[in-house]
Amino acid sequence: MTRVIILALVFVLAGVTSGLVVSVNSLRSRLGAEQGPGESRRTAIVSAAERVGPATVSISAVKSHLVRNSPFPDDGLFERFFRGYYPDRVYRGRYDVGSGFIIDSDGYILTNDHVVRGGSEVKVVLRDGREFDGTVVGADQRYDLAVVKIDGNDLPTAPLGDSDGVLIGEWVVAIGNPFGYILNDAEPTVTAGVVSALHRDIQPSGTSAVYKDMIQTDAAINRGNSGGPLVNSSGEVIGISTFTLSSEDGAYFGMSFAIPINTARVLVDELVRYGRVRDIWIGMGLVNVTPLVARALDLAGADGTLVAAVEPESPADRAGLRPGDVIIAVNGVAVSNAAEVRRATFAAKVGDAITVTAIRRGRTRELNIKLEEVPG
């Protein structure tokens, strides 16, 4: 009987010990104790930053700014007396700092136009500390895109993804150098967040840039991050960090915006070959089809955009588009107003062809319009 009790106790203790081992192992697994130092913390975000970080660069552009030249207090007695000896404003150079990323082993770097615009000298610093003189080979203020060229060997490149496949809610990281030379460190910083929204159209006041189809994220884009890559969890660039919304006192609103990489992709060749993005010419004037317009023209409904005018010998004219046609789709995407037509042709290049679906006298027609450059 004693032997039976002893065996039972052995089995009970073995079961308890086994449970403790399982619990401890489970806890170790959660805390990463089973793996090597840091291995349990190597998330997709960490891998994405490691994959794109080496190709992320710091860009500094020397720009001239008007500054007050007088050594005396503004509107003071001495300032008024010596005003003729000290010009009120003079131009002085200073560094404006931004970011970019290498997209080609030949040394082509993609960044924002506002990072390099007006710069008389451009410096590029890689994460490994190498510094290069950069040349702006092409820039366009409307799209806020620029391509900078450096000459170097063994240059790392950033893998480009597909911004059309971006999902709301997916994790992203913004990589860049928001402090430039202040920290005296070429190592880029990383901020993480999620994609908050897609297809945002914004036109900031006081600028000619038109930001269409933007990616919105809550990953912080600080001053100096502009031009840097927005990266998905697979380590692919899906956007170009461009600006953030903040209050007048600089308070961050939690909304940052990036230009989709697919938009930049189609415009890089234009920037490299022509130094700018050539203006496309379609040659049609559009009017929104309101219920009032629909009744006046005896149209079946208020969906679509009315072609009010067609320029003679324009691409639209040669394709067969006529005043009175109602455009209901562009490249298979339904449109209900002129703004949506402009969105559908945004980032289209000279030489591209677009398919316009239009209704004329109750019949649906598909017209292929080959885009040309605006006549000089």
Side-chain angles (χ1 to χ4, degrees):
M1 182 69 178
T2 303
R3 185 178 179 184
V4 172
I5 293 174
I6 292 173
L7 288 173
L9 289 172
V10 169
F11 281 120
V12 170
L13 289 173
V16 171
T17 303
S18 175
L20 287 174
V21 170
V22 170
S23 298
V24 170
N25 286 342
S26 176
L27 182 60
R28 283 179 176 175
S29 177
R30 288 186 179 186
L31 296 178
E34 278 192 318
Q35 305 177 27
E39 288 301 318
S40 65
R41 304 192 304 275
R42 190 169 296 282
T43 63
I45 298 297
V46 174
S47 299
E50 289 179 339
R51 190 177 185 194
V52 181
T56 303
V57 303
S58 176
I59 299 176
S60 300
V62 179
K63 301 181 181 180
S64 295
H65 295 265
L66 272 175
V67 296
R68 197 168 168 275
N69 187 52
S70 175
F72 304 110
D74 200 9
D75 292 329
L77 175 63
F78 288 102
E79 195 277 336
R80 290 196 298 270
F81 183 77
F82 289 104
R83 182 171 295 171
Y85 298 94
Y86 294 96
D88 288 341
R89 297 289 184 267
V90 295
Y91 282 97
R92 288 181 183 169
R94 80 176 186 195
Y95 278 102
D96 278 359
V97 180
S99 303
F101 53 98
I102 305 172
I103 59 173
D104 186 278
S105 58
D106 288 335
Y108 288 104
I109 298 168
L110 195 53
T111 185
N112 286 136
D113 169 71
H114 73 259
V115 170
V116 297
R117 186 189 316 133
S120 58
E121 180 183 345
V122 176
K123 296 290 185 182
V124 176
V125 181
L126 274 61
R127 192 179 77 169
D128 59 16
R130 286 184 288 170
E131 183 174 330
F132 299 90
D133 291 326
T135 301
V136 180
V137 297
D140 194 287
Q141 188 172 348
R142 294 164 304 165
Y143 293 98
D144 202 0
L145 290 172
V147 175
V148 175
K149 176 75 165 58
I150 60 174
D151 294 323
N153 299 319
D154 302 321
L155 298 174
T157 59
L160 305 185
D162 179 10
S163 55
D164 289 343
V166 173
L167 303 173
I168 294 177
E170 71 168 289
W171 282 100
V172 289
V173 292
I175 308 177
N177 197 335
F179 302 108
Y181 290 110
I182 297 176
L183 298 179
N184 195 27
D185 188 351
E187 183 72 27
T189 62
V190 175
T191 57
V194 298
V195 174
S196 308
L198 298 170
H199 311 303
R200 295 297 202 197
D201 292 350
I202 303 171
Q203 184 167 13
S205 59
T207 176
S208 62
V210 179
Y211 298 102
K212 288 185 177 292
D213 207 31
M214 298 286 281
I215 299 171
Q216 180 182 324
T217 175
D218 61 357
I221 298 176
N222 298 301
R223 188 174 184 272
N225 271 103
S226 294
L230 185 70
V231 184
N232 63 17
S233 58
S234 298
E236 300 168 330
V237 180
I238 58 168
I240 304 167
S241 301
T242 302
F243 65 90
T244 186
L245 290 186
S246 60
S247 63
E248 292 183 0
D249 60 0
Y252 176 51
F253 285 159
M255 290 186 289
S256 301
F257 297 89
I259 299 170
I261 195 62
N262 286 6
T263 298
R265 229 190 249 267
V266 299
L267 299 177
V268 164
D269 183 61
E270 285 276 296
L271 294 172
V272 172
R273 292 183 61 186
Y274 301 101
R276 60 185 176 86
V277 178
R278 293 172 295 169
D279 293 326
I280 62 170
W281 183 39
I282 301 177
M284 61 182 181
L286 302 176
V287 174
N288 290 336
V289 181
T290 63
L292 181 62
V293 172
R295 287 195 300 270
L297 299 177
D298 195 23
L299 300 176
D303 291 332
T305 304
L306 177 69
V307 178
V310 176
E311 297 180 44
E313 300 302 319
S314 66
D317 183 34
R318 285 191 284 272
L321 197 66
R322 297 292 177 262
D325 290 350
V326 177
I327 298 175
I328 59 173
V330 178
N331 290 334
V333 178
V335 294
S336 58
N337 53 55
E340 291 182 359
V341 174
R342 286 191 289 272
R343 174 197 281 275
T345 57
F346 183 72
K349 308 189 304 298
V350 173
D352 288 350
I354 60 172
T355 300
V356 171
T357 305
I359 297 176
R360 182 186 303 166
R361 301 189 187 92
R363 294 181 57 186
T364 301
R365 303 168 183 265
E366 285 199 350
L367 308 172
N368 293 315
I369 303 176
K370 188 173 182 179
L371 306 180
E372 299 177 15
E373 185 175 5
V374 174

